[in-house]
mmCIF file of all heavy atoms in Angstrom:
data_model
loop_
_atom_site.group_PDB
_atom_site.id
_atom_site.type_symbol
_atom_site.label_atom_id
_atom_site.label_comp_id
_atom_site.label_asym_id
_atom_site.label_seq_id
_atom_site.Cartn_x
_atom_site.Cartn_y
_atom_site.Cartn_z
ATOM 1 N N PRO A 328 51.628 161.634 145.454
ATOM 2 C CA PRO A 328 51.435 162.119 144.079
ATOM 3 C C PRO A 328 50.452 161.295 143.248
ATOM 4 O O PRO A 328 50.357 161.500 142.041
ATOM 5 C CB PRO A 328 52.835 162.046 143.493
ATOM 6 C CG PRO A 328 53.489 160.935 144.229
ATOM 7 C CD PRO A 328 52.862 160.849 145.584
ATOM 8 N N THR A 329 49.717 160.380 143.889
ATOM 9 C CA THR A 329 48.839 159.504 143.112
ATOM 10 C C THR A 329 47.913 160.280 142.169
ATOM 11 O O THR A 329 47.740 159.904 141.013
ATOM 12 C CB THR A 329 47.985 158.643 144.057
ATOM 13 O OG1 THR A 329 48.832 158.028 144.998
ATOM 14 C CG2 THR A 329 47.234 157.589 143.287
ATOM 15 N N PHE A 330 47.346 161.372 142.675
ATOM 16 C CA PHE A 330 46.379 162.103 141.854
ATOM 17 C C PHE A 330 47.041 162.653 140.591
ATOM 18 O O PHE A 330 46.466 162.622 139.510
ATOM 19 C CB PHE A 330 45.754 163.243 142.669
ATOM 20 C CG PHE A 330 44.619 163.906 141.952
ATOM 21 C CD1 PHE A 330 43.402 163.262 141.806
ATOM 22 C CD2 PHE A 330 44.775 165.171 141.408
ATOM 23 C CE1 PHE A 330 42.360 163.864 141.128
ATOM 24 C CE2 PHE A 330 43.734 165.775 140.729
ATOM 25 C CZ PHE A 330 42.524 165.123 140.595
ATOM 26 N N LEU A 331 48.262 163.132 140.760
ATOM 27 C CA LEU A 331 48.973 163.658 139.593
ATOM 28 C C LEU A 331 49.274 162.542 138.589
ATOM 29 O O LEU A 331 49.137 162.727 137.380
ATOM 30 C CB LEU A 331 50.266 164.322 140.029
ATOM 31 C CG LEU A 331 50.910 165.000 138.832
ATOM 32 C CD1 LEU A 331 50.420 166.407 138.704
ATOM 33 C CD2 LEU A 331 52.397 164.937 138.925
ATOM 34 N N VAL A 332 49.669 161.369 139.122
ATOM 35 C CA VAL A 332 49.932 160.239 138.235
ATOM 36 C C VAL A 332 48.644 159.886 137.484
ATOM 37 O O VAL A 332 48.652 159.618 136.284
ATOM 38 C CB VAL A 332 50.447 159.023 139.028
ATOM 39 C CG1 VAL A 332 50.700 157.853 138.106
ATOM 40 C CG2 VAL A 332 51.710 159.376 139.774
ATOM 41 N N PHE A 333 47.530 159.932 138.199
ATOM 42 C CA PHE A 333 46.217 159.651 137.596
ATOM 43 C C PHE A 333 45.953 160.619 136.445
ATOM 44 O O PHE A 333 45.397 160.242 135.415
ATOM 45 C CB PHE A 333 45.143 159.788 138.690
ATOM 46 C CG PHE A 333 43.745 159.933 138.186
ATOM 47 C CD1 PHE A 333 43.069 158.847 137.667
ATOM 48 C CD2 PHE A 333 43.092 161.151 138.250
ATOM 49 C CE1 PHE A 333 41.772 158.972 137.207
ATOM 50 C CE2 PHE A 333 41.799 161.284 137.791
ATOM 51 C CZ PHE A 333 41.140 160.195 137.263
ATOM 52 N N LEU A 334 46.352 161.883 136.600
ATOM 53 C CA LEU A 334 46.124 162.855 135.533
ATOM 54 C C LEU A 334 47.097 162.669 134.376
ATOM 55 O O LEU A 334 46.693 162.684 133.217
ATOM 56 C CB LEU A 334 46.283 164.282 136.084
ATOM 57 C CG LEU A 334 45.198 164.776 137.022
ATOM 58 C CD1 LEU A 334 45.479 166.212 137.411
ATOM 59 C CD2 LEU A 334 43.835 164.665 136.369
ATOM 60 N N SER A 335 48.390 162.511 134.685
ATOM 61 C CA SER A 335 49.366 162.586 133.594
ATOM 62 C C SER A 335 49.705 161.233 132.968
ATOM 63 O O SER A 335 50.012 161.180 131.787
ATOM 64 C CB SER A 335 50.642 163.276 134.073
ATOM 65 O OG SER A 335 51.154 162.639 135.214
ATOM 66 N N PHE A 336 49.619 160.147 133.735
ATOM 67 C CA PHE A 336 50.007 158.857 133.155
ATOM 68 C C PHE A 336 49.200 158.515 131.896
ATOM 69 O O PHE A 336 49.769 158.218 130.851
ATOM 70 C CB PHE A 336 49.908 157.735 134.197
ATOM 71 C CG PHE A 336 50.357 156.400 133.690
ATOM 72 C CD1 PHE A 336 51.678 156.006 133.791
ATOM 73 C CD2 PHE A 336 49.461 155.545 133.064
ATOM 74 C CE1 PHE A 336 52.098 154.797 133.300
ATOM 75 C CE2 PHE A 336 49.868 154.333 132.562
ATOM 76 C CZ PHE A 336 51.190 153.958 132.689
ATOM 77 N N PRO A 337 47.851 158.550 131.973
ATOM 78 C CA PRO A 337 47.083 158.196 130.770
ATOM 79 C C PRO A 337 47.328 159.158 129.610
ATOM 80 O O PRO A 337 47.300 158.750 128.454
ATOM 81 C CB PRO A 337 45.622 158.294 131.240
ATOM 82 C CG PRO A 337 45.684 158.202 132.707
ATOM 83 C CD PRO A 337 46.974 158.831 133.107
ATOM 84 N N ILE A 338 47.617 160.436 129.926
ATOM 85 C CA ILE A 338 47.874 161.388 128.846
ATOM 86 C C ILE A 338 49.163 161.018 128.116
ATOM 87 O O ILE A 338 49.196 160.944 126.877
ATOM 88 C CB ILE A 338 47.973 162.825 129.415
ATOM 89 C CG1 ILE A 338 46.608 163.256 129.957
ATOM 90 C CG2 ILE A 338 48.461 163.787 128.353
ATOM 91 C CD1 ILE A 338 46.584 164.637 130.541
ATOM 92 N N PHE A 339 50.212 160.753 128.887
ATOM 93 C CA PHE A 339 51.484 160.385 128.258
ATOM 94 C C PHE A 339 51.330 159.098 127.458
ATOM 95 O O PHE A 339 51.812 158.962 126.338
ATOM 96 C CB PHE A 339 52.578 160.205 129.318
ATOM 97 C CG PHE A 339 53.001 161.499 129.958
ATOM 98 C CD1 PHE A 339 53.820 161.501 131.086
ATOM 99 C CD2 PHE A 339 52.597 162.715 129.437
ATOM 100 C CE1 PHE A 339 54.213 162.692 131.666
ATOM 101 C CE2 PHE A 339 52.984 163.913 130.016
ATOM 102 C CZ PHE A 339 53.795 163.893 131.136
#
Side-chain angles (χ1 to χ4, degrees):
Chain A
T329 309
F330 188 72
L331 186 89
V332 180
F333 163 74
L334 289 183
S335 55
F336 183 89
I338 294 180
F339 290 169

